[in-house]
Amino acid sequence: MSGTVHIIGAGLAGLSAATAVAEQGAEVAIYEATAHAGGRCRSYDDPALGILIDNGNHIILSGNRSALAFLKRIGGDGQLSGPDSATFDFVDLATDQRWRLEIGSGVIPWWIFSRARRVPGTRPGDYLTMARLVLRPGNGTVGTVLPCTGALYERLLEPLLVATLNNDPPAASARLAAAVMRETMAAGGDACRPLVARDGLSSAYVEPALAYLRARGAEVHFGHRLRRLAFGDRGLEALDFGNAVVPVSTTDRVVLAVTPDAIARLMPDLPVPSEFRAIANLHFRVERDVDLPVTGVIHGLTQWIFSFPGRLSVTISNADAVLDVPREELARRVWREVSLVARLPEDLPPWQVVVERRATFATLPEQEIRRPPARTRHPNLFLAGDWIDTGLPPTIEGAVRSGENAARLAAA
Ligand SMILES: Cc1cc2nc3c(=O)[nH]c(=O)nc-3n(C[C@H](O)[C@H](O)[C@H](O)COP(=O)(O)OP(=O)(O)OC[C@H]3O[C@@H](n4cnc5c(N)ncnc54)[C@H](O)[C@@H]3O)c2cc1C
């Protein structure tokens, strides 16, 4: 392909698009508003804890084929760690019951017929509701397809769906819930191994991508916030960054991999998702490493616990309800739960609360229809991002896949 592909936004969608274009040997220039890449998926040095932490715990599953292909392309795949099989530990704080869910590796879910392996308190017939969701989600909410009550819901579907949809499942889009189930649980345990960036998000997803781009001669510009798109007779003709204007030649293509609010300013006629949900992460510095697998917590404020060297971290998705809780009170309440689960002393260790208020768009059916496709009405302008119409929820997999797709369209 001749000409340059200009990519705006160096989150995972932008990095995915840029590296996919560079892989084909085409010229790439990437422009990012802030001083760093990674967007909502990155690491930073936290002054309160004195260690490197991630803006939020991020988990992918072994069935996330685009995310894994991206990591393989940039050489970040060796940074992921996780169990050899699809196992998830759970603790129910209301009953102190603990169990390990082990999803068998094959596509046929034999594990649901084993009382020892399925979710405690469930029967094999309960799992038919999951098949109904996958096969006939319709265009409405999860609540219209599934009974959002009972042991299977409380102990498996709710934690899984809150984490992947970042929303209250009964109100969330059934189509997106079905997409998650289809690519993970319904594909068998080989698609469900949880994978976490052992040494932080940036060293797996971001730094290798930037190194990959630089090694291929790509231009990487930080501190470049796109202010205006200049359209003319032949479509998009220039990118206005305020302090610099970059002409778009007849052979160039542009991919906007920015956030929906940025698109709303740049292209005010295009409907984009307009409602968002928060995610809160709490990080606790611990003296000794705690060997805790990724653990789901039922009937707590805590939803998932992750262990890293010298740190335990908690994720609370769909977290708008905790935004008004004073930070220290939140840290105390969550640590009390973590100390019960991990059997640690109750004294609050050094902590940090990181809240992303607009972590993802709200995965409601009425927001889902506001997701635009990758093609715009301008032939040289394409969109990428976890919020465009990928058919997937706003996740790493969705962001990376949107970038791959935009790169394919830009090269065509
Ligand atoms: C706390 C938290 C936890 C999460 N946990 C998970 C998880 O466990 N698993 C999972 O799969 N996903 C998770 N996600 C979702 C995942 O992080 C996102 O789906 C993904 O990072 C989105 O990437 P993106 O490139 O689409 O958007 P962004 O990361 O938002 O990137 C957009 C980029 O564009 C830049 N930009 C914006 N405007 C302009 C402009 N005008 N000019 C130039 N640049 C601009 C921004 O600075 C940003 O760098 C989580 C998200 C959060 C916030």
Side-chain angles (χ1 to χ4, degrees):
M1 185 198 140
S2 61
T4 300
V5 181
H6 303 274
I7 291 164
I8 322 298
L12 291 189
L15 293 174
S16 158
T19 54
V21 170
E23 188 176 41
Q24 296 162 25
E27 277 182 26
V28 185
I30 186 163
Y31 310 83
E32 162 59 42
T34 66
H36 48 76
R40 281 171 280 155
C41 180
R42 66 196 164 80
S43 317
Y44 71 97
D45 280 314
D46 184 74
L49 294 179
I51 51 175
L52 185 84
I53 60 174
D54 294 332
N55 70 313
N57 301 314
H58 280 64
I59 190 171
I60 61 169
L61 297 180
S62 47
N64 290 160
R65 59 185 157 82
S66 297
L68 290 174
F70 165 71
L71 287 168
K72 195 151 190 245
R73 178 187 311 135
I74 62 173
D77 49 340
Q79 298 270 330
L80 295 183
S81 66
D84 293 335
S85 59
T87 52
F88 295 86
D89 283 29
F90 285 92
V91 177
D92 187 336
L93 290 178
T95 59
D96 199 29
Q97 207 172 356
R98 291 169 190 249
W99 65 95
R100 173 166 288 179
L101 179 74
E102 207 178 327
I103 302 170
S105 59
V107 181
I108 301 174
W110 298 114
W111 57 277
I112 68 177
F113 300 104
S114 158
R115 187 193 289 265
R117 287 175 62 201
R118 65 177 176 255
V119 177
T122 62
R123 287 169 307 198
D126 298 339
Y127 294 79
L128 286 174
T129 57
M130 287 164 62
R132 194 184 317 141
L133 177 65
V134 172
L135 298 174
R136 291 167 175 250
N139 293 323
T141 63
V142 171
T144 58
V145 185
L146 285 182
C148 294
T149 55
L152 182 67
Y153 177 74
E154 282 181 6
R155 293 180 157 189
L156 179 62
L157 294 178
E158 186 177 26
L160 181 75
L161 293 178
V162 171
T164 47
L165 301 178
N166 191 27
N167 216 324
D168 189 24
S173 154
R175 200 168 77 91
L176 292 182
V180 172
M181 301 300 276
R182 197 174 299 122
E183 296 203 4
T184 55
M185 300 278 289
D190 284 345
C192 297
R193 282 193 311 115
L195 300 168
V196 173
R198 196 184 45 234
D199 298 323
L201 293 170
S202 290
S203 71
Y205 290 92
V206 183
E207 283 150 18
L210 292 175
Y212 183 93
L213 289 172
R214 289 188 170 119
R216 281 154 189 79
E219 291 175 28
V220 181
H221 303 278
F222 291 109
H224 275 60
R225 181 175 298 279
L226 184 64
R227 308 271 173 194
R228 197 175 65 87
L229 298 165
F231 292 101
D233 295 341
R234 52 176 185 79
L236 181 57
E237 293 187 350
L239 301 168
D240 182 352
F241 292 96
N243 47 0
V245 175
V246 175
V248 176
S249 80
T250 47
T251 51
D252 288 357
R253 308 270 193 281
V254 175
V255 176
L256 296 181
V258 297
T259 45
D261 51 330
I263 291 288
R265 284 190 294 274
L266 293 163
M267 303 175 74
D269 297 340
L270 191 72
V272 292
S274 52
E275 214 181 302
F276 299 86
R277 295 285 181 267
I279 299 180
N281 277 262
L282 290 93
H283 305 273
F284 301 99
R285 207 179 67 207
V286 288
E287 291 300 318
R288 280 182 299 109
D289 289 356
V290 180
D291 188 19
L292 193 73
V294 175
T295 301
V297 179
I298 313 296
H299 292 128
L301 206 50
T302 305
Q303 292 168 356
W304 291 94
I305 308 177
F306 297 79
S307 63
F308 296 93
R311 168 166 63 100
L312 286 171
S313 292
V314 163
T315 296
I316 306 175
S317 298
N318 190 30
D320 291 48
V322 303
L323 294 182
D324 293 335
V325 180
R327 287 159 50 82
E328 182 163 350
E329 183 189 330
L330 186 62
R332 284 190 187 285
R333 283 167 62 185
V334 168
W335 178 255
R336 206 170 305 130
E337 296 178 350
V338 174
S339 64
L340 284 172
V341 171
R343 301 196 166 99
L344 291 170
E346 247 192 63
D347 306 335
L348 184 65
W351 55 273
Q352 179 60 286
V353 176
V354 184
V355 176
E356 295 269 1
R357 285 179 178 263
R358 293 159 69 91
T360 69
F361 76 88
T363 51
L364 306 166
E366 60 270 28
Q367 289 291 306
E368 175 68 355
I369 54 175
R370 296 178 64 89
R371 297 174 84 184
R375 284 182 199 275
T376 68
R377 63 194 169 87
H378 310 286
N380 57 353
L381 179 62
F382 306 95
L383 302 178
D386 66 350
W387 54 275
I388 75 157
D389 187 12
T390 57
L392 295 173
T395 52
I396 292 178
E397 180 66 8
V400 169
R401 208 175 287 180
S402 77
E404 256 173 30
N405 187 36
R408 201 169 29 246
L409 293 172

